[in-house]
């Protein structure tokens, strides 16, 4: 009998907090999984004997390094670089890079932990990782961003590789940054391999990778609605964020007949009562990805409401799509959404809802798709970008669109399988995603023995 057998959830979390002090986001992410998995494994002795939950909550390895670069005025600047290689039980480490001043170990550990279960849910062979830097891309010239990315990769290159660890984008890391990072990897190693995903189409990128996260988040909502005999047509939707995920979530909502009335950025949100259309969305894409401007400009251009320093959750809606960042829906905001009649939430961002907010949605029987299921479409197409790179060919857009739909449909089904409440029609998608994601990784770890 193992010595630490059958601790309860409180004891487990107390131990985790002791060993990972001052990492609230990491505690939150582990708690969300552990709370469901504890019950599921209660009568499954092998997972206790092999200490799976304890081992899964410790990253395989964390790399922290200095990143020096020169700004346009010749000043030497220093940032921190990170890669958290969380778990490679079911495939090479895989997960994005985030460049944002808020980046710290707690945030990257939570993201790498989440990524492990998300990647498992896709059904593709990918382990979990996350990395990044406290570097602020805002206000930097292209030359500064290039020099930073080159310096970052000059250290990271020795820890990644197409069969080892394959980073991608996340907040602050888009097509421009991936180009600089890939160029430097290729230069350092003299190898043209699929070491990053989200690449440009000219150098090994995949059709629909840039759209995949946002589209997938909407497909997940559509699947939840269809299960109830409903659909997106005519639904009033709140989207937060105005980056990669938010833009393509909004686009897919428009395709499927939803009415998107909000978008947000780090300085405020716009409320367009008439709803966005393709032309307005095109303006946002140009504003945010090419001109790197603020949504306030959109509000002026189209004469819509702009709420500085606020988030969109006070606006009455049918459906909400948080696509900006973690903990952007507070518990109080969850209650506001519920009392305003919100019927469903699909999380495009990673862990955007506070723990008690999730509880509030579940208790109110709101359809709630957690991030590790709802935003898995992005990494799924990343996985298929890896396959295409290995094959040295590019698949057709239609083929990938079909695969994305299928993968999101499978994830939805798996959530229903493990999350359907006995004696009721309600599906606890949080529970379903956590258990379904856990099983594959846990069983692989059992197969490997003590490693
Ligand atoms: P981007 O950098 O492209 O866009 C992020 C958007 O969110 C921007 O509009 C940004 O505002 C806003 N934002 C960022 N931080 C904050 C904050 N603290 N408060 C308010 N708004 C904020 O990132 P992505 O769209 O790629 O990522 C968004 C979320 O989706 C993240 O949680 C990420 O982890 C998750 N995700 C991303 C995937 C991907 O494939 N890219 C895949 C799965 C999940 P501003 O414009 O002012 O910078
Ligand atoms: O959170 C995520 O899933 C991502 N940022 C994308 C990861 C990836 O490897 O495509």
């Amino acid at each position: 009998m193992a010595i630490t057998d059958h601790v309860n959830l409180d004891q487990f979390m107390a131990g985790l907090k002791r060993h990972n002090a001052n990492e609230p986001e990491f505690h939150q992410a582990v708690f969300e999984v552990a709370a469901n998995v504890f019950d599921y494994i209660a009568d499954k002795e092998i997972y206790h004997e092999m200490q799976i939950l304890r081992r899964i909550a410790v990253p395989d390895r964390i790399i922290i390094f200095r990143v020096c670069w020169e700004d346009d005025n010749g000043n030497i600047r220093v940032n921190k670089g990170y890669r958290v290689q969380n778990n490679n039980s079911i495939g090479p480490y895989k997960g994005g890079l985030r460049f944002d001043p808020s980046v710290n170990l707690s945030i990257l550990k939570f993201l790498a932990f989440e990524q492990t279960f998300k990647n498992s849910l896709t059904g593709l062979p990918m382990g979990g990782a996350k990395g990044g830097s406290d570097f602020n891309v805002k206000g930097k010239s292209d030359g500064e961003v290039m020099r930073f990315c080159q310096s970052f990769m000059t250290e990271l290159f020795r820890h990644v590789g197409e069969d080892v660890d394959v980073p991608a984008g996340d907040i602050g890391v888009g097509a421009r940054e991936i180009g600089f990072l890939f160029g430097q990897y290729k230069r350092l190693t003299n190898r043209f391999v699929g070491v990053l995903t989200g690449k440009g189409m000219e150098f090994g990128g995949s059709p629909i990778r840039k759209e995949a996260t946002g589209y997938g988040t909407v497909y997940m909502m559509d699947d939840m609605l269809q299960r109830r005999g409903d659909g997106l047509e005519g639904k009033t939707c709140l989207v937060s964020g105005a980056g990669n995920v938010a833009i393509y979530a909004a686009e897919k909502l428009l395709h499927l007949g939803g009415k998107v009335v909000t978008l947000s950025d780090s300085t405020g949100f716009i409320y367009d009562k008439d709803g966005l259309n393709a032309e307005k969305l095109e303006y946002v894409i140009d504003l945010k990805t090419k001109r790197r401007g603020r949504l306030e400009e959109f509000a002026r251009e189209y004469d819509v409401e702009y709420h500085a320093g606020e988030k969109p959750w006070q606006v009455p809606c049918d459906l909400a799509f948080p696509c900006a960042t973690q903990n952007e829906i507070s518990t109080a905001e969850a209650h506001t959404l519920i009392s305003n009649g919100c019927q469903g939430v699909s999380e495009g961002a990673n862990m955007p809802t506070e723990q008690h907010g999730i509880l509030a949605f579940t208790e109110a029987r709101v359809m709630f798709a957690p991030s590790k299921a709802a935003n898995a479409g992005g990494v799924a197409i990343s996985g298929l970008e890896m396959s295409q790179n290995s094959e040295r060919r590019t698949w057709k857009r239609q083929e990938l669109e079909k695969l994305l739909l299928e993968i999101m449909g499978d994830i939805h089904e798996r959530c229903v399988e493990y999350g359907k409440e006995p004696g009721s029609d309600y599906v606890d998608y949080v529970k379903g995603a956590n258990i379904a994601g856990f099983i594959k990784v846990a069983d692989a770890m059992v197969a490997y023995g003590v490693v």
Side-chain angles (χ1 to χ4, degrees):
M1 179 67 86
I3 42 165
T4 47
D5 237 3
H6 300 279
V7 291
N8 66 33
L9 180 59
D10 289 342
Q11 290 166 322
F12 172 77
M13 285 308 300
L16 184 100
K17 287 178 183 171
R18 218 173 30 250
H19 292 290
N20 302 271
N22 305 318
E23 296 181 352
E25 293 86 0
F26 180 57
H27 305 160
Q28 184 184 342
V30 175
F31 178 79
E32 189 189 309
V33 171
N36 292 139
V37 164
F38 247 83
D39 284 347
Y40 175 75
I41 65 174
D43 59 350
K44 299 178 179 64
E45 197 54 39
I46 188 70
Y47 296 135
H48 296 280
E49 203 180 294
M50 297 301 283
Q51 295 286 328
I52 296 300
L53 205 47
R54 285 203 163 173
R55 288 162 60 201
I56 227 169
V58 180
D60 289 354
R61 142 182 347 96
I62 299 177
I63 300 140
I64 304 183
F65 49 96
R66 185 183 63 223
V67 187
C68 296
W69 55 283
E70 209 175 307
D71 70 21
D72 287 345
N73 298 318
N75 300 310
I76 293 170
R77 309 280 289 263
V78 187
N79 286 96
K80 264 183 157 179
Y82 304 84
R83 188 70 179 164
V84 178
Q85 296 180 332
N86 197 64
N87 191 300
N88 68 350
S89 297
I90 62 168
Y93 300 109
K94 180 86 196 85
L97 295 171
R98 178 177 291 191
F99 292 169
D100 192 79
S102 65
V103 161
N104 59 36
L105 207 48
S106 174
I107 289 178
L108 294 180
K109 280 171 72 178
F110 115 63
L111 288 163
F113 182 81
E114 284 278 294
Q115 197 82 43
T116 302
F117 301 95
K118 181 197 306 190
N119 293 1
S120 163
L121 277 172
T122 66
L124 299 170
M126 299 181 288
K130 203 84 187 191
S133 174
D134 56 359
F135 175 73
N136 189 355
V137 288
K138 287 202 184 87
K140 302 289 188 305
S141 69
D142 286 351
E144 288 174 328
V145 172
M146 179 185 76
R147 290 192 292 280
F148 174 82
C149 288
Q150 290 177 341
S151 182
F152 183 88
M153 185 51 90
T154 301
E155 178 58 34
L156 186 69
F157 90 99
R158 58 187 102 245
H159 307 290
V160 297
E162 70 278 24
D163 294 322
V164 180
D165 184 353
V166 182
D170 194 83
I171 292 178
V173 178
R176 173 182 63 171
E177 290 73 19
I178 293 291
F180 292 146
L181 291 163
F182 185 76
Q184 183 72 349
Y185 182 88
K186 185 173 69 57
R187 177 192 193 189
L188 289 165
T189 60
N190 197 24
R191 297 170 73 239
F192 194 111
V193 290
V195 67
L196 289 161
T197 60
K199 298 185 291 300
M201 288 307 296
E202 308 78 16
F203 50 97
S206 173
I208 74 157
R209 173 61 189 90
K210 81 172 182 310
E211 296 92 338
T213 311
Y215 280 16
T217 302
V218 173
Y219 292 152
M220 177 58 71
M221 178 64 84
D222 198 33
D223 284 341
M224 294 197 296
L225 286 163
Q226 283 192 27
R227 193 177 164 275
R228 291 186 172 185
D230 202 349
L232 282 160
E233 184 71 41
K235 295 280 190 300
T236 299
C237 303
L238 306 184
V239 176
S240 67
N244 175 258
V245 180
I247 284 170
Y248 292 102
E251 183 174 89
K252 186 48 71 180
L253 285 169
L254 298 189
H255 291 167
L256 299 178
K259 182 176 174 190
V260 180
V261 294
T262 66
L263 288 175
S264 71
D265 64 17
S266 52
T267 51
F269 81 91
I270 52 127
Y271 177 30
D272 184 347
K273 289 189 180 66
D274 299 332
L276 298 180
N277 57 26
E279 181 212 307
K280 290 175 183 173
L281 206 51
E282 209 37 62
Y283 181 94
V284 176
I285 293 174
D286 183 68
L287 175 70
K288 293 310 269 186
T289 59
K290 300 205 179 85
R291 292 191 280 130
R292 297 178 190 275
R294 313 252 118 242
L295 278 178
E296 197 174 0
E297 220 179 296
F298 173 93
R300 277 199 303 271
E301 176 76 19
Y302 287 99
D303 194 21
V304 300
E305 285 180 31
Y306 175 71
H307 297 261
E310 288 180 42
K311 294 182 277 178
W313 314 125
Q314 62 200 268
V315 176
C317 69
D318 299 312
L319 306 170
F321 298 84
C323 298
T325 192
Q326 65 275 354
N327 291 325
E328 59 170 312
I329 300 183
S330 68
T331 304
E333 286 162 333
H335 284 291
T336 304
L337 281 162
I338 295 164
S339 51
N340 280 341
C342 177
Q343 301 153 27
V345 179
S346 186
E347 295 188 322
N350 283 308
M351 206 171 73
T353 311
E354 283 184 358
Q355 206 166 290
H356 287 94
I358 298 181
L359 211 61
F361 286 129
T362 312
E363 277 168 6
R365 293 305 194 233
V366 167
M367 292 175 290
F368 181 87
S371 47
K372 59 174 76 66
N375 71 32
V379 75
I381 298 300
S382 276
L384 299 179
E385 183 172 330
M386 290 165 70
S387 306
Q388 294 170 76
N389 292 163
S390 299
E391 270 187 31
R392 297 190 193 285
R393 60 181 280 252
T394 304
W395 303 344
K396 289 193 167 47
R397 187 179 167 99
Q398 298 91 302
E399 237 175 306
L400 285 149
E401 274 177 357
K402 189 162 158 276
L403 285 168
L404 176 62
L405 258 173
E406 274 171 25
I407 290 171
M408 294 312 297
D410 288 349
I411 293 174
H412 176 263
E413 264 175 43
R414 240 167 291 145
C415 290
V416 173
E417 183 183 345
Y418 291 99
K420 191 168 167 322
E421 287 188 352
S424 122
D425 205 32
Y426 185 72
V427 177
D428 183 342
Y429 287 88
V430 177
K431 178 177 170 191
N434 285 333
I435 294 174
F438 172 82
I439 292 171
K440 188 172 164 192
V441 181
D443 288 349
M445 289 174 75
V446 168
Y448 299 143
V450 183
V451 290

